[in-house]
Amino acid sequence: MVKGIVRPVDDLGRLVIPKEIRKALKIKEKDPVDIYLKDGVICIEPFRLQCVCCGNDDEDKLVVVDGVHMCPVCIEKFVEGAKK
């Protein structure tokens, strides 16, 4: 774990992620990252496509439905649920 690096937030609210952390997470320049809050902690991780329902990240099997990524299993569950 890389720890003990302090960075200021600039006037525009930007924060530089230290090179050591980017290297450990294999984040390169221009790579998208996912930023979210979890239990009051800001989390940053490499972005990966995944099903919005179950989290399946097999990108070859994901289907885009109106800009939302879903796996075939969840699409089937959704369709079956809509029929009831």
Side-chain angles (χ1 to χ4, degrees):
M1 171 187 275
V2 180
K3 191 172 178 170
I5 301 171
V6 177
R7 298 286 178 161
V9 176
D10 72 11
D11 295 340
L12 297 176
R14 296 177 296 197
L15 177 70
V16 174
I17 302 171
K19 183 178 181 178
E20 298 86 357
I21 293 175
R22 292 191 320 259
K23 187 176 179 181
L25 293 174
K26 297 179 179 145
I27 297 173
K28 299 179 296 295
E29 255 184 54
K30 309 280 184 183
D31 281 354
V33 293
D34 192 10
I35 304 170
Y36 57 94
L37 282 174
K38 183 176 181 180
D39 300 325
V41 175
I42 299 170
C43 300
I44 302 172
E45 61 185 21
F47 174 77
R48 58 186 174 87
L49 291 177
Q50 60 186 17
C51 175
V52 295
C53 298
C54 70
N56 181 334
D57 62 357
D58 186 350
E59 292 184 28
D60 294 335
K61 294 185 179 177
L62 293 178
V63 178
V64 181
V65 180
D66 289 334
V68 176
H69 294 86
M70 294 178 72
C71 71
V73 172
C74 290
I75 291 172
E76 183 65 30
K77 287 180 184 177
F78 181 78
V79 170
E80 288 301 316
K83 288 180 182 177
K84 293 180 181 181

